[in-house]
Amino acid sequence: MRVLVTGGAGFIGSHIVTALRDRGHDPVVLDALLPAAHPGTPPLPDAEFVRADVRDAGAVRAALRGVDAVCHQAAMVGLGKDFVDAPDYVGCNDLGTAVLLAEMAAAGVGALVLAGSMVVYGEGRYTCGRHGTVRPGPRRTEDLTAGRFEPLCPDCGAELVPGLVGEDAPTDPRNVYATTKLAQEHLAASWARCVEGRAVSLRYHNVYGPGMPRDTPYAGVASFFRSALARGEAPRVYEDGAQRRDFVHVADVAAANAVALEAVAAGQAGALVAYNTGSGEPHTVGEMAAELASAHGGPAPVVTGEFRLGDVRHITADSARLREELGWRPVVGFAEGMTEFARAGQRESAAAIG
């Protein structure tokens, strides 16, 4: 199968290209190598390469010739620094997706796997002893400043128990990046209905692993911590470190993409099917920092009490649907993956050079 991988020179995309080649497929990489993600030319995947922006309709049209399916990874990622980033996020993520889907419709390419994100849920699933499953609103600045990090029951103010989010949970994006990721899913669903196509959105959890970018305002928390350790500094853990996340290894995410691509190409998906894509083993951010620091040889993490508006407290999701319907299984355990990541190389970032 010939697969166009947008953003295929990036962290996750390059691992997907490798996974596809290992399974006997023919990947084609389309990547703009934008300076915000690539300050210099990165090691390019072992595949046909097209340097172009996914918003360039002519370049996308040419890259789609002979393609059977598309794996759409190209995006601006992370929470960002301020709302002034909003036009860049919308342009890269939503306009880029719209251009890609329009060209796929014109070319008759009817199979898509989208890099989705668990951020579309907002806060995770919570249970109140009196009111059952509840959905707390955004946390207030005054509470965060006072060190009150846990969301409370919106009905009675009681403490809540966090749980796993299923794909049928309501979406509630809490920042610009999250909003663009949900818009990508809506665009993909509309495309699939219009052209009778097949699409899967893999809602990634906190992806980490070899080749992750170095310290940058748009990187994930695992990158922040690994970059600090590389500088000989202690990882700085926000809030109290008890935020729950699901850290999933990039090799497992790449394998999920390969499996999903084979499913959509074979007609085993509908207009749009969303799959949570995580390890299934929630850990706190503090636990991750401690594991990473220990494997690296220190220094130990420092819990700062600082916070970022737009962050959610707990978000871990149930990935059983992906396992049951597509047969995917993560194989890299938490301790094993963090030990590897602590010693692995990282990509250069624009922030590191600037």
Side-chain angles (χ1 to χ4, degrees), residues 79 118-119 122-124 126 139 162-164 175 204-207 220-222 225 238-239 241-248 278-288 308 310-317 334 338:
L79 180 60
M118 53 80 184
V119 295
E123 283 286 354
Y126 293 89
R139 296 181 293 170
L164 301 179
N175 54 62
Y204 300 160
H205 279 257
N206 290 68
V207 186
V221 66
F225 293 166
Y238 280 10
E239 302 187 15
Q243 311 94 300
R244 286 162 52 94
R245 298 291 188 269
D246 185 327
F247 299 98
V248 58
S279 71
E281 299 180 3
H283 291 274
T284 68
V285 172
E287 288 172 344
M288 187 272 284
R308 296 192 306 179
D311 273 346
V312 298
R313 178 61 174 174
H314 304 294
I315 176 65
T316 56
F334 179 72
M338 289 298 164

mmCIF file of all heavy atoms in Angstrom, residues 79 118-119 122-124 126 139 162-164 175 204-207 220-222 225 238-239 241-248 278-288 308 310-317 334 338:
data_model
loop_
_atom_site.group_PDB
_atom_site.id
_atom_site.type_symbol
_atom_site.label_atom_id
_atom_site.label_comp_id
_atom_site.label_asym_id
_atom_site.label_seq_id
_atom_site.Cartn_x
_atom_site.Cartn_y
_atom_site.Cartn_z
ATOM 1 N N LEU A 79 0.394 23.252 23.915
ATOM 2 C CA LEU A 79 -0.534 24.245 24.448
ATOM 3 C C LEU A 79 -0.249 25.640 23.916
ATOM 4 O O LEU A 79 -1.128 26.476 23.818
ATOM 5 C CB LEU A 79 -0.443 24.242 25.985
ATOM 6 C CG LEU A 79 -1.347 25.212 26.743
ATOM 7 C CD1 LEU A 79 -2.809 24.924 26.446
ATOM 8 C CD2 LEU A 79 -1.087 25.114 28.243
ATOM 9 N N MET A 118 -6.163 13.361 22.870
ATOM 10 C CA MET A 118 -7.049 13.261 24.024
ATOM 11 C C MET A 118 -7.426 14.643 24.567
ATOM 12 O O MET A 118 -8.336 14.755 25.392
ATOM 13 C CB MET A 118 -6.390 12.412 25.111
ATOM 14 C CG MET A 118 -5.001 12.836 25.533
ATOM 15 S SD MET A 118 -4.953 14.219 26.678
ATOM 16 C CE MET A 118 -3.195 14.499 26.838
ATOM 17 N N VAL A 119 -6.755 15.712 24.102
ATOM 18 C CA VAL A 119 -7.084 17.045 24.597
ATOM 19 C C VAL A 119 -8.499 17.478 24.211
ATOM 20 O O VAL A 119 -9.036 18.429 24.792
ATOM 21 C CB VAL A 119 -6.071 18.100 24.111
ATOM 22 C CG1 VAL A 119 -4.686 17.831 24.682
ATOM 23 C CG2 VAL A 119 -6.035 18.184 22.596
ATOM 24 N N GLY A 122 -11.048 17.778 27.175
ATOM 25 C CA GLY A 122 -10.923 18.701 28.296
ATOM 26 C C GLY A 122 -10.533 17.922 29.535
ATOM 27 O O GLY A 122 -9.632 17.083 29.507
ATOM 28 N N GLU A 123 -11.189 18.183 30.649
ATOM 29 C CA GLU A 123 -10.933 17.388 31.839
ATOM 30 C C GLU A 123 -11.379 15.944 31.598
ATOM 31 O O GLU A 123 -12.214 15.659 30.740
ATOM 32 C CB GLU A 123 -11.696 17.956 33.047
ATOM 33 C CG GLU A 123 -11.077 19.203 33.651
ATOM 34 C CD GLU A 123 -9.802 18.905 34.450
ATOM 35 O OE1 GLU A 123 -9.466 17.720 34.637
ATOM 36 O OE2 GLU A 123 -9.139 19.878 34.848
ATOM 37 N N GLY A 124 -10.811 15.043 32.382
ATOM 38 C CA GLY A 124 -11.143 13.632 32.233
ATOM 39 C C GLY A 124 -12.475 13.281 32.889
ATOM 40 O O GLY A 124 -13.305 14.152 33.173
ATOM 41 N N TYR A 126 -14.809 12.092 35.921
ATOM 42 C CA TYR A 126 -14.807 12.200 37.380
ATOM 43 C C TYR A 126 -16.109 11.642 37.945
ATOM 44 O O TYR A 126 -17.176 11.763 37.328
ATOM 45 C CB TYR A 126 -14.673 13.655 37.826
ATOM 46 C CG TYR A 126 -13.339 14.282 37.503
ATOM 47 C CD1 TYR A 126 -13.135 14.925 36.285
ATOM 48 C CD2 TYR A 126 -12.294 14.242 38.414
ATOM 49 C CE1 TYR A 126 -11.924 15.515 35.987
ATOM 50 C CE2 TYR A 126 -11.073 14.833 38.121
ATOM 51 C CZ TYR A 126 -10.890 15.461 36.903
ATOM 52 O OH TYR A 126 -9.684 16.040 36.612
ATOM 53 N N ARG A 139 -10.846 25.138 35.787
ATOM 54 C CA ARG A 139 -10.369 25.516 37.117
ATOM 55 C C ARG A 139 -10.130 27.028 37.183
ATOM 56 O O ARG A 139 -9.698 27.635 36.216
ATOM 57 C CB ARG A 139 -9.087 24.750 37.450
ATOM 58 C CG ARG A 139 -9.312 23.245 37.534
ATOM 59 C CD ARG A 139 -8.043 22.508 37.891
ATOM 60 N NE ARG A 139 -7.044 22.584 36.834
ATOM 61 C CZ ARG A 139 -5.784 22.193 36.976
ATOM 62 N NH1 ARG A 139 -5.361 21.722 38.138
ATOM 63 N NH2 ARG A 139 -4.935 22.290 35.955
ATOM 64 N N PRO A 162 -11.028 10.567 39.956
ATOM 65 C CA PRO A 162 -10.806 10.531 38.501
ATOM 66 C C PRO A 162 -10.885 9.111 37.964
ATOM 67 O O PRO A 162 -10.533 8.145 38.656
ATOM 68 C CB PRO A 162 -9.396 11.109 38.352
ATOM 69 C CG PRO A 162 -8.725 10.821 39.651
ATOM 70 C CD PRO A 162 -9.795 10.860 40.705
ATOM 71 N N GLY A 163 -11.344 8.981 36.716
ATOM 72 C CA GLY A 163 -11.446 7.681 36.074
ATOM 73 C C GLY A 163 -11.030 7.748 34.627
ATOM 74 O O GLY A 163 -10.385 8.705 34.189
ATOM 75 N N LEU A 164 -11.399 6.744 33.844
ATOM 76 C CA LEU A 164 -11.020 6.643 32.445
ATOM 77 C C LEU A 164 -12.120 7.184 31.541
ATOM 78 O O LEU A 164 -13.308 6.930 31.761
ATOM 79 C CB LEU A 164 -10.721 5.184 32.073
ATOM 80 C CG LEU A 164 -9.605 4.497 32.855
ATOM 81 C CD1 LEU A 164 -9.443 3.051 32.376
ATOM 82 C CD2 LEU A 164 -8.294 5.253 32.727
ATOM 83 N N ASN A 175 -8.391 24.726 25.248
ATOM 84 C CA ASN A 175 -7.423 25.696 24.737
ATOM 85 C C ASN A 175 -7.473 25.680 23.209
ATOM 86 O O ASN A 175 -8.187 24.863 22.609
ATOM 87 C CB ASN A 175 -6.012 25.407 25.264
ATOM 88 C CG ASN A 175 -5.566 23.993 24.985
ATOM 89 O OD1 ASN A 175 -5.454 23.588 23.838
ATOM 90 N ND2 ASN A 175 -5.298 23.216 26.037
ATOM 91 N N TYR A 204 -4.305 10.506 20.519
ATOM 92 C CA TYR A 204 -3.068 10.221 21.233
ATOM 93 C C TYR A 204 -3.115 10.746 22.662
ATOM 94 O O TYR A 204 -3.627 11.822 22.937
ATOM 95 C CB TYR A 204 -1.869 10.911 20.564
ATOM 96 C CG TYR A 204 -1.576 10.531 19.144
ATOM 97 C CD1 TYR A 204 -0.813 11.388 18.347
ATOM 98 C CD2 TYR A 204 -2.025 9.344 18.574
ATOM 99 C CE1 TYR A 204 -0.499 11.077 17.038
ATOM 100 C CE2 TYR A 204 -1.728 9.022 17.262
ATOM 101 C CZ TYR A 204 -0.975 9.890 16.493
ATOM 102 O OH TYR A 204 -0.677 9.587 15.196
ATOM 103 N N HIS A 205 -2.477 9.982 23.535
ATOM 104 C CA HIS A 205 -2.189 10.479 24.878
ATOM 105 C C HIS A 205 -0.796 11.121 24.870
ATOM 106 O O HIS A 205 -0.357 11.626 23.850
ATOM 107 C CB HIS A 205 -2.351 9.352 25.893
ATOM 108 C CG HIS A 205 -3.789 9.153 26.249
ATOM 109 N ND1 HIS A 205 -4.333 9.608 27.421
ATOM 110 C CD2 HIS A 205 -4.803 8.591 25.553
ATOM 111 C CE1 HIS A 205 -5.625 9.330 27.447
ATOM 112 N NE2 HIS A 205 -5.936 8.714 26.316
ATOM 113 N N ASN A 206 -0.109 11.137 25.977
ATOM 114 C CA ASN A 206 1.186 11.825 26.065
ATOM 115 C C ASN A 206 2.265 10.955 25.438
ATOM 116 O O ASN A 206 2.800 10.058 26.086
ATOM 117 C CB ASN A 206 1.501 12.146 27.523
ATOM 118 C CG ASN A 206 0.594 13.216 28.087
ATOM 119 O OD1 ASN A 206 -0.606 12.986 28.267
ATOM 120 N ND2 ASN A 206 1.133 14.387 28.349
ATOM 121 N N VAL A 207 2.578 11.251 24.185
ATOM 122 C CA VAL A 207 3.539 10.444 23.428
ATOM 123 C C VAL A 207 4.957 10.885 23.782
ATOM 124 O O VAL A 207 5.249 12.080 23.864
ATOM 125 C CB VAL A 207 3.296 10.598 21.916
ATOM 126 C CG1 VAL A 207 4.204 9.650 21.135
ATOM 127 C CG2 VAL A 207 1.823 10.342 21.575
ATOM 128 N N GLY A 220 5.862 18.628 24.680
ATOM 129 C CA GLY A 220 5.140 18.006 25.770
ATOM 130 C C GLY A 220 5.984 17.966 27.037
ATOM 131 O O GLY A 220 7.186 18.251 27.035
ATOM 132 N N VAL A 221 5.325 17.577 28.121
ATOM 133 C CA VAL A 221 5.990 17.605 29.425
ATOM 134 C C VAL A 221 7.177 16.651 29.475
ATOM 135 O O VAL A 221 8.201 16.950 30.104
ATOM 136 C CB VAL A 221 4.961 17.298 30.540
ATOM 137 C CG1 VAL A 221 4.433 15.872 30.445
ATOM 138 C CG2 VAL A 221 5.561 17.552 31.910
ATOM 139 N N ALA A 222 7.094 15.518 28.798
ATOM 140 C CA ALA A 222 8.225 14.585 28.801
ATOM 141 C C ALA A 222 9.459 15.229 28.175
ATOM 142 O O ALA A 222 10.585 15.029 28.644
ATOM 143 C CB ALA A 222 7.846 13.300 28.057
ATOM 144 N N PHE A 225 11.093 17.721 30.674
ATOM 145 C CA PHE A 225 11.863 17.065 31.726
ATOM 146 C C PHE A 225 13.161 16.483 31.179
ATOM 147 O O PHE A 225 14.225 16.612 31.782
ATOM 148 C CB PHE A 225 11.032 15.967 32.377
ATOM 149 C CG PHE A 225 9.843 16.465 33.151
ATOM 150 C CD1 PHE A 225 8.845 15.589 33.558
ATOM 151 C CD2 PHE A 225 9.706 17.808 33.489
ATOM 152 C CE1 PHE A 225 7.750 16.028 34.281
ATOM 153 C CE2 PHE A 225 8.606 18.268 34.203
ATOM 154 C CZ PHE A 225 7.624 17.371 34.601
ATOM 155 N N TYR A 238 5.058 21.044 37.547
ATOM 156 C CA TYR A 238 4.016 22.024 37.852
ATOM 157 C C TYR A 238 2.978 21.440 38.817
ATOM 158 O O TYR A 238 2.869 20.239 39.013
ATOM 159 C CB TYR A 238 3.317 22.474 36.578
ATOM 160 C CG TYR A 238 4.087 23.523 35.785
ATOM 161 C CD1 TYR A 238 5.394 23.864 36.094
ATOM 162 C CD2 TYR A 238 3.487 24.190 34.721
ATOM 163 C CE1 TYR A 238 6.090 24.836 35.382
ATOM 164 C CE2 TYR A 238 4.163 25.159 33.990
ATOM 165 C CZ TYR A 238 5.470 25.466 34.333
ATOM 166 O OH TYR A 238 6.151 26.427 33.615
ATOM 167 N N GLU A 239 2.208 22.357 39.390
ATOM 168 C CA GLU A 239 1.181 22.025 40.386
ATOM 169 C C GLU A 239 1.831 21.196 41.498
ATOM 170 O O GLU A 239 2.911 21.545 41.983
ATOM 171 C CB GLU A 239 -0.015 21.356 39.717
ATOM 172 C CG GLU A 239 -0.644 22.246 38.632
ATOM 173 C CD GLU A 239 -1.923 21.734 38.039
ATOM 174 O OE1 GLU A 239 -2.559 20.811 38.611
ATOM 175 O OE2 GLU A 239 -2.330 22.250 36.976
ATOM 176 N N GLY A 241 2.328 17.827 41.109
ATOM 177 C CA GLY A 241 2.844 16.608 40.490
ATOM 178 C C GLY A 241 1.876 15.447 40.473
ATOM 179 O O GLY A 241 2.211 14.370 39.961
ATOM 180 N N ALA A 242 0.662 15.631 40.999
ATOM 181 C CA ALA A 242 -0.286 14.517 41.078
ATOM 182 C C ALA A 242 -1.221 14.433 39.879
ATOM 183 O O ALA A 242 -2.147 13.617 39.855
ATOM 184 C CB ALA A 242 -1.113 14.626 42.365
ATOM 185 N N GLN A 243 -0.981 15.263 38.848
ATOM 186 C CA GLN A 243 -1.806 15.206 37.642
ATOM 187 C C GLN A 243 -1.654 13.834 36.991
ATOM 188 O O GLN A 243 -0.543 13.372 36.758
ATOM 189 C CB GLN A 243 -1.370 16.279 36.646
ATOM 190 C CG GLN A 243 -1.222 17.679 37.202
ATOM 191 C CD GLN A 243 0.192 17.990 37.636
ATOM 192 O OE1 GLN A 243 0.744 17.318 38.508
ATOM 193 N NE2 GLN A 243 0.797 19.008 37.045
ATOM 194 N N ARG A 244 -2.759 13.222 36.643
ATOM 195 C CA ARG A 244 -2.725 11.888 36.033
ATOM 196 C C ARG A 244 -2.709 12.000 34.512
ATOM 197 O O ARG A 244 -3.496 12.734 33.923
ATOM 198 C CB ARG A 244 -3.940 11.058 36.476
ATOM 199 C CG ARG A 244 -3.850 10.567 37.916
ATOM 200 C CD ARG A 244 -5.210 10.146 38.441
ATOM 201 N NE ARG A 244 -5.888 9.206 37.551
ATOM 202 C CZ ARG A 244 -5.844 7.878 37.672
ATOM 203 N NH1 ARG A 244 -5.114 7.332 38.636
ATOM 204 N NH2 ARG A 244 -6.512 7.100 36.853
ATOM 205 N N ARG A 245 -1.794 11.251 33.895
ATOM 206 C CA ARG A 245 -1.683 11.185 32.445
ATOM 207 C C ARG A 245 -1.396 9.745 32.032
ATOM 208 O O ARG A 245 -1.065 8.894 32.858
ATOM 209 C CB ARG A 245 -0.550 12.096 31.932
ATOM 210 C CG ARG A 245 -0.714 13.579 32.210
ATOM 211 C CD ARG A 245 -1.846 14.182 31.403
ATOM 212 N NE ARG A 245 -1.882 15.642 31.523
ATOM 213 C CZ ARG A 245 -2.580 16.303 32.442
ATOM 214 N NH1 ARG A 245 -3.273 15.626 33.362
ATOM 215 N NH2 ARG A 245 -2.590 17.627 32.464
ATOM 216 N N ASP A 246 -1.493 9.492 30.728
ATOM 217 C CA ASP A 246 -1.136 8.192 30.163
ATOM 218 C C ASP A 246 0.023 8.435 29.204
ATOM 219 O O ASP A 246 -0.143 9.053 28.154
ATOM 220 C CB ASP A 246 -2.332 7.595 29.424
ATOM 221 C CG ASP A 246 -2.078 6.186 28.919
ATOM 222 O OD1 ASP A 246 -0.910 5.881 28.552
ATOM 223 O OD2 ASP A 246 -3.026 5.383 28.870
ATOM 224 N N PHE A 247 1.216 7.972 29.578
ATOM 225 C CA PHE A 247 2.413 8.160 28.760
ATOM 226 C C PHE A 247 2.584 6.936 27.865
ATOM 227 O O PHE A 247 2.791 5.823 28.343
ATOM 228 C CB PHE A 247 3.634 8.378 29.663
ATOM 229 C CG PHE A 247 3.511 9.584 30.538
ATOM 230 C CD1 PHE A 247 3.092 9.472 31.854
ATOM 231 C CD2 PHE A 247 3.769 10.849 30.032
ATOM 232 C CE1 PHE A 247 2.952 10.594 32.658
ATOM 233 C CE2 PHE A 247 3.632 11.984 30.827
ATOM 234 C CZ PHE A 247 3.226 11.849 32.143
ATOM 235 N N VAL A 248 2.500 7.159 26.561
ATOM 236 C CA VAL A 248 2.540 6.062 25.591
ATOM 237 C C VAL A 248 3.751 6.234 24.682
ATOM 238 O O VAL A 248 4.033 7.333 24.192
ATOM 239 C CB VAL A 248 1.217 5.995 24.789
ATOM 240 C CG1 VAL A 248 0.929 7.297 24.052
ATOM 241 C CG2 VAL A 248 1.211 4.820 23.829
ATOM 242 N N GLY A 278 -3.571 5.007 24.046
ATOM 243 C CA GLY A 278 -2.724 5.158 25.221
ATOM 244 C C GLY A 278 -2.208 3.823 25.700
ATOM 245 O O GLY A 278 -2.617 2.768 25.211
ATOM 246 N N SER A 279 -1.333 3.875 26.675
ATOM 247 C CA SER A 279 -0.726 2.644 27.191
ATOM 248 C C SER A 279 -1.684 1.836 28.047
ATOM 249 O O SER A 279 -1.490 0.640 28.247
ATOM 250 C CB SER A 279 0.512 3.001 28.031
ATOM 251 O OG SER A 279 0.119 3.618 29.250
ATOM 252 N N GLY A 280 -2.706 2.509 28.599
ATOM 253 C CA GLY A 280 -3.613 1.835 29.520
ATOM 254 C C GLY A 280 -3.108 1.803 30.950
ATOM 255 O O GLY A 280 -3.736 1.193 31.813
ATOM 256 N N GLU A 281 -1.978 2.478 31.220
ATOM 257 C CA GLU A 281 -1.394 2.501 32.552
ATOM 258 C C GLU A 281 -1.200 3.952 32.998
ATOM 259 O O GLU A 281 -0.142 4.539 32.784
ATOM 260 C CB GLU A 281 -0.038 1.786 32.564
ATOM 261 C CG GLU A 281 -0.100 0.328 32.189
ATOM 262 C CD GLU A 281 1.284 -0.325 32.216
ATOM 263 O OE1 GLU A 281 2.262 0.366 32.587
ATOM 264 O OE2 GLU A 281 1.369 -1.492 31.860
ATOM 265 N N PRO A 282 -2.195 4.549 33.629
ATOM 266 C CA PRO A 282 -2.052 5.944 34.061
ATOM 267 C C PRO A 282 -0.938 6.108 35.107
ATOM 268 O O PRO A 282 -0.742 5.246 35.974
ATOM 269 C CB PRO A 282 -3.416 6.266 34.674
ATOM 270 C CG PRO A 282 -4.359 5.275 34.067
ATOM 271 C CD PRO A 282 -3.551 4.033 33.865
ATOM 272 N N HIS A 283 -0.219 7.212 35.003
ATOM 273 C CA HIS A 283 0.797 7.599 35.985
ATOM 274 C C HIS A 283 0.681 9.093 36.217
ATOM 275 O O HIS A 283 0.194 9.831 35.356
ATOM 276 C CB HIS A 283 2.206 7.267 35.485
ATOM 277 C CG HIS A 283 2.498 5.805 35.402
ATOM 278 N ND1 HIS A 283 2.953 5.071 36.471
ATOM 279 C CD2 HIS A 283 2.373 4.928 34.366
ATOM 280 C CE1 HIS A 283 3.116 3.805 36.105
ATOM 281 N NE2 HIS A 283 2.766 3.695 34.831
ATOM 282 N N THR A 284 1.159 9.535 37.363
ATOM 283 C CA THR A 284 1.160 10.972 37.598
ATOM 284 C C THR A 284 2.369 11.605 36.924
ATOM 285 O O THR A 284 3.364 10.937 36.628
ATOM 286 C CB THR A 284 1.199 11.307 39.099
ATOM 287 O OG1 THR A 284 2.473 10.922 39.632
ATOM 288 C CG2 THR A 284 0.075 10.595 39.851
ATOM 289 N N VAL A 285 2.269 12.912 36.700
ATOM 290 C CA VAL A 285 3.389 13.644 36.122
ATOM 291 C C VAL A 285 4.601 13.561 37.054
ATOM 292 O O VAL A 285 5.745 13.439 36.600
ATOM 293 C CB VAL A 285 2.989 15.111 35.854
ATOM 294 C CG1 VAL A 285 4.189 15.941 35.443
ATOM 295 C CG2 VAL A 285 1.915 15.175 34.774
ATOM 296 N N GLY A 286 4.354 13.603 38.351
ATOM 297 C CA GLY A 286 5.449 13.469 39.306
ATOM 298 C C GLY A 286 6.140 12.126 39.223
ATOM 299 O O GLY A 286 7.378 12.038 39.305
ATOM 300 N N GLU A 287 5.370 11.066 39.054
ATOM 301 C CA GLU A 287 5.950 9.730 38.904
ATOM 302 C C GLU A 287 6.807 9.654 37.644
ATOM 303 O O GLU A 287 7.893 9.064 37.647
ATOM 304 C CB GLU A 287 4.837 8.677 38.834
ATOM 305 C CG GLU A 287 4.132 8.416 40.150
ATOM 306 C CD GLU A 287 2.926 7.520 39.989
ATOM 307 O OE1 GLU A 287 2.446 7.338 38.840
ATOM 308 O OE2 GLU A 287 2.438 7.020 41.005
ATOM 309 N N MET A 288 6.302 10.250 36.564
ATOM 310 C CA MET A 288 7.070 10.225 35.319
ATOM 311 C C MET A 288 8.382 10.972 35.481
ATOM 312 O O MET A 288 9.445 10.501 35.056
ATOM 313 C CB MET A 288 6.237 10.841 34.192
ATOM 314 C CG MET A 288 6.864 10.713 32.806
ATOM 315 S SD MET A 288 7.985 12.055 32.396
ATOM 316 C CE MET A 288 6.784 13.333 32.040
ATOM 317 N N ARG A 308 -0.216 26.343 34.506
ATOM 318 C CA ARG A 308 -0.518 26.984 33.225
ATOM 319 C C ARG A 308 -2.027 26.994 33.034
ATOM 320 O O ARG A 308 -2.664 25.931 33.129
ATOM 321 C CB ARG A 308 0.127 26.236 32.055
ATOM 322 C CG ARG A 308 1.624 26.226 32.054
ATOM 323 C CD ARG A 308 2.173 25.724 30.734
ATOM 324 N NE ARG A 308 1.644 24.421 30.345
ATOM 325 C CZ ARG A 308 1.969 23.795 29.209
ATOM 326 N NH1 ARG A 308 2.793 24.372 28.343
ATOM 327 N NH2 ARG A 308 1.461 22.613 28.922
ATOM 328 N N GLY A 310 -5.329 26.671 31.163
ATOM 329 C CA GLY A 310 -5.632 25.842 30.000
ATOM 330 C C GLY A 310 -5.232 24.395 30.198
ATOM 331 O O GLY A 310 -5.718 23.515 29.490
ATOM 332 N N ASP A 311 -4.325 24.125 31.150
ATOM 333 C CA ASP A 311 -3.999 22.744 31.473
ATOM 334 C C ASP A 311 -5.183 22.097 32.192
ATOM 335 O O ASP A 311 -5.912 22.768 32.936
ATOM 336 C CB ASP A 311 -2.779 22.671 32.391
ATOM 337 C CG ASP A 311 -1.468 22.661 31.633
ATOM 338 O OD1 ASP A 311 -1.500 22.445 30.406
ATOM 339 O OD2 ASP A 311 -0.420 22.873 32.264
ATOM 340 N N VAL A 312 -5.343 20.805 32.005
ATOM 341 C CA VAL A 312 -6.363 20.075 32.754
ATOM 342 C C VAL A 312 -5.680 19.278 33.860
ATOM 343 O O VAL A 312 -4.472 19.031 33.821
ATOM 344 C CB VAL A 312 -7.187 19.153 31.841
ATOM 345 C CG1 VAL A 312 -7.938 19.971 30.803
ATOM 346 C CG2 VAL A 312 -6.320 18.100 31.163
ATOM 347 N N ARG A 313 -6.444 18.879 34.849
ATOM 348 C CA ARG A 313 -5.864 18.212 36.013
ATOM 349 C C ARG A 313 -5.592 16.732 35.725
ATOM 350 O O ARG A 313 -4.477 16.252 35.878
ATOM 351 C CB ARG A 313 -6.812 18.363 37.203
ATOM 352 C CG ARG A 313 -6.345 17.676 38.479
ATOM 353 C CD ARG A 313 -5.026 18.220 38.972
ATOM 354 N NE ARG A 313 -4.687 17.640 40.283
ATOM 355 C CZ ARG A 313 -3.543 17.839 40.909
ATOM 356 N NH1 ARG A 313 -2.610 18.600 40.353
ATOM 357 N NH2 ARG A 313 -3.326 17.304 42.074
ATOM 358 N N HIS A 314 -6.619 16.009 35.340
ATOM 359 C CA HIS A 314 -6.463 14.581 35.076
ATOM 360 C C HIS A 314 -7.091 14.252 33.728
ATOM 361 O O HIS A 314 -8.222 14.659 33.455
ATOM 362 C CB HIS A 314 -7.148 13.729 36.151
ATOM 363 C CG HIS A 314 -6.704 14.015 37.549
ATOM 364 N ND1 HIS A 314 -5.421 13.763 37.983
ATOM 365 C CD2 HIS A 314 -7.373 14.525 38.610
ATOM 366 C CE1 HIS A 314 -5.317 14.109 39.261
ATOM 367 N NE2 HIS A 314 -6.483 14.577 39.664
ATOM 368 N N ILE A 315 -6.368 13.532 32.884
ATOM 369 C CA ILE A 315 -6.955 13.039 31.635
ATOM 370 C C ILE A 315 -6.296 11.722 31.279
ATOM 371 O O ILE A 315 -5.144 11.672 30.854
ATOM 372 C CB ILE A 315 -6.857 14.084 30.497
ATOM 373 C CG1 ILE A 315 -7.399 13.506 29.184
ATOM 374 C CG2 ILE A 315 -5.442 14.621 30.336
ATOM 375 C CD1 ILE A 315 -8.861 13.195 29.207
ATOM 376 N N THR A 316 -7.014 10.656 31.528
ATOM 377 C CA THR A 316 -6.583 9.311 31.122
ATOM 378 C C THR A 316 -7.793 8.627 30.510
ATOM 379 O O THR A 316 -8.911 8.777 31.003
ATOM 380 C CB THR A 316 -6.068 8.491 32.324
ATOM 381 O OG1 THR A 316 -7.083 8.436 33.336
ATOM 382 C CG2 THR A 316 -4.810 9.108 32.907
ATOM 383 N N ALA A 317 -7.576 7.926 29.436
ATOM 384 C CA ALA A 317 -8.700 7.377 28.687
ATOM 385 C C ALA A 317 -8.588 5.867 28.534
ATOM 386 O O ALA A 317 -7.511 5.281 28.626
ATOM 387 C CB ALA A 317 -8.801 8.035 27.316
ATOM 388 N N PHE A 334 6.081 1.236 30.965
ATOM 389 C CA PHE A 334 6.432 2.563 31.472
ATOM 390 C C PHE A 334 7.899 2.637 31.902
ATOM 391 O O PHE A 334 8.646 3.505 31.439
ATOM 392 C CB PHE A 334 5.510 2.909 32.649
ATOM 393 C CG PHE A 334 5.777 4.234 33.285
ATOM 394 C CD1 PHE A 334 5.452 5.416 32.644
ATOM 395 C CD2 PHE A 334 6.342 4.303 34.557
ATOM 396 C CE1 PHE A 334 5.684 6.648 33.239
ATOM 397 C CE2 PHE A 334 6.574 5.533 35.166
ATOM 398 C CZ PHE A 334 6.245 6.699 34.503
ATOM 399 N N MET A 338 10.738 4.739 29.832
ATOM 400 C CA MET A 338 11.403 5.887 30.437
ATOM 401 C C MET A 338 12.909 5.685 30.539
ATOM 402 O O MET A 338 13.693 6.627 30.363
ATOM 403 C CB MET A 338 10.805 6.183 31.816
ATOM 404 C CG MET A 338 9.408 6.759 31.760
ATOM 405 S SD MET A 338 9.358 8.363 30.901
ATOM 406 C CE MET A 338 7.584 8.495 30.586
#
